[in-house]
Amino acid sequence: LLLHIQKKTLTMFSRAATTFSRSCSRSASSLLSRNATASQATRSMGTLEESPSAKSAWEKSCYFEMDFTIPEESTVYEAVQKFAAYDVGCLVTTNPHGDISGVISERDYVSKIALLGRKSKETKVKEISTKSSNLMVAHPEDSVDICMEKMLSKDIRHLPLVDVNGKVRVH
């Protein structure tokens, strides 16, 4: 799980949203690759009532104590430092009021900085991040299955967890 949302302990889901730790997802993926091809693999599906909520999944994840936010006025270099420090690929960006303003990912760095020859120490996060108006988000009461449906339907890998007021979830 990776309710990859930044500082103030933000929250996002990675595609490993149904696993609660990196070790679980690594051992599950190695078991899957040893025992079945992707087309043979089936996911055990319970009812929506049996599926944990986004909030409970986040609280059980190894990412719960991390600060996944970065101010949009920070440099891209600072974001890259945080990617490396937390071993994550996405951060939630926040405006000066602390509200979610978007997300920035390693992919943004590669496609908008490295390939274009821009300098990460001179470029602001807000210049290359995906803006909040284009974001799909999860809510605490959403089931993990609902979150996975959102991610798969939009082909996204990160899903910010926000409260009923649209504020980034903090633990």
Side-chain angles (χ1 to χ4, degrees), residues 36-48:
T37 64
S39 63
Q40 295 169 320
T42 58
R43 182 169 170 250
S44 172
M45 295 289 288
T47 65
L48 289 178

Side-chain angles (χ1 to χ4, degrees), residues 4-166:
H4 254 270
I5 303 183
Q6 280 302 105
K7 192 87 179 168
K8 296 180 186 174
T9 308
L10 292 178
T11 48
M12 293 197 112
F13 280 102
S14 76
R15 290 203 172 157
T18 57
T19 60
F20 295 122
S21 74
R22 287 183 181 175
S23 61
C24 290
S25 71
R26 287 184 182 138
S27 53
S29 61
S30 66
L31 180 63
L32 177 62
S33 64
R34 283 195 308 261
N35 295 332
T37 64
S39 63
Q40 295 169 320
T42 58
R43 182 169 170 250
S44 172
M45 295 289 288
T47 65
L48 289 178
E49 292 76 30
E50 294 170 345
S51 181
S53 69
K55 181 179 183 234
S56 68
W58 166 245
E59 290 170 349
K60 294 176 185 175
S61 80
C62 60
Y63 301 103
F64 183 65
E65 296 294 324
M66 293 181 190
D67 172 15
F68 288 100
T69 61
I70 190 161
E72 64 185 3
E73 292 296 327
S74 299
T75 66
V76 173
Y77 183 78
E78 292 169 297
V80 171
Q81 287 180 311
K82 209 162 192 180
F83 291 150
Y86 287 132
D87 193 25
V88 297
C90 182
L91 300 170
V92 173
T93 64
T94 56
N95 66 21
H97 304 292
D99 298 328
I100 186 171
S101 61
V103 294
I104 182 171
S105 67
E106 292 171 321
R107 189 173 290 178
D108 291 324
Y109 172 78
V110 169
S111 64
K112 299 172 185 172
I113 300 294
L115 288 177
L116 298 177
R118 295 175 75 180
K119 295 184 183 337
S120 62
K121 289 184 178 181
E122 297 172 4
T123 306
K124 300 284 186 193
V125 164
K126 69 181 179 181
E127 294 176 46
I128 69 165
S129 63
T130 299
K131 304 303 178 238
S132 60
S133 60
N134 296 325
L135 286 181
M136 180 161 286
V137 298
H139 300 279
E141 68 280 358
D142 289 349
S143 70
V144 170
D145 288 335
I146 296 290
C147 294
M148 290 300 296
E149 286 178 27
K150 288 179 178 184
M151 293 169 66
L152 292 171
S153 71
K154 296 293 185 180
D155 195 28
I156 57 175
R157 300 182 312 138
H158 305 99
L159 191 63
L161 180 63
V162 298
D163 65 18
V164 294
N165 298 315

